[in-house]
């Protein structure tokens, strides 16, 4: 079966291509709201914002970041972002193996 979604190909801006390159071999993490996070550059995450912090480790992110496209959602009213390192091991607070394990105790 072949995919028809990008038969003519598609282009990425330089910043999106850089974020994709840094995360292409990583598993795509999920947000607490259930949405899959996307890899983008931190300066593209929110309008008029140049610095963002990781919701897990609180470190300032200047570069590629895992970002929730729902931005200001009821489960994360100030947005949701993970640094690349935290994205490797993050387990959403709702759903996933961590929730299953803790619910069984």
């Amino acid at each position: 079966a072949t995919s028809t979604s990008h038969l003519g190909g598609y282009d990425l801006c330089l910043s999106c291509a850089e974020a994709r390159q840094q995360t292409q071999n990583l598993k795509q993490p999920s947000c607490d709201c259930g949405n899959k996070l996307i890899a983008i550059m931190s300066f593209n995450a929110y309008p008029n914002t140049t610095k963002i912090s990781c919701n897990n480790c609180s470190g300032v992110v200047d570069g590629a970041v895992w970002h929730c496209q729902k931005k200001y959602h009821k489960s994360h009213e100030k947005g949701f972002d993970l640094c690349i390192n935290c994205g490797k091991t993050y387990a959403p607070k709702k759903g996933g193996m961590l929730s299953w394990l803790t619910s069984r105790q």
Side-chain angles (χ1 to χ4, degrees):
T2 39
S3 172
T4 58
S5 49
H6 296 293
L7 286 178
Y10 63 95
D11 297 322
L12 296 174
C13 67
L14 288 176
S15 62
C16 291
E18 178 65 24
R20 178 75 54 88
Q21 182 180 12
Q22 290 182 34
T23 59
Q24 66 184 352
N25 296 322
L26 301 176
K27 184 179 178 225
Q28 185 180 16
S30 294
C31 180
D32 290 347
C33 71
N35 204 33
K36 284 282 189 183
L37 300 178
I38 61 164
I40 63 172
M41 297 304 278
S42 57
F43 53 81
N44 288 330
Y46 303 95
N48 305 318
T49 303
T50 56
K51 291 188 179 185
I52 61 173
S53 60
C54 174
N55 283 70
N56 191 53
C57 72
S58 301
V60 173
V61 181
D62 184 21
V65 63
W66 290 110
H67 174 71
C68 182
Q69 290 181 296
K70 288 186 180 176
K71 296 190 183 193
Y72 310 111
H73 186 266
K74 64 182 177 181
S75 65
H76 47 75
E77 294 177 356
K78 294 183 179 180
F80 191 85
D81 304 281
L82 294 175
C83 67
I84 299 302
N85 258 356
C86 288
K88 293 175 185 176
T89 58
Y90 187 78
K93 291 177 180 48
K94 295 180 182 176
M97 183 58 96
L98 187 60
S99 293
W100 179 80
L101 289 171
T102 55
S103 68
R104 297 182 53 92
Q105 295 176 349

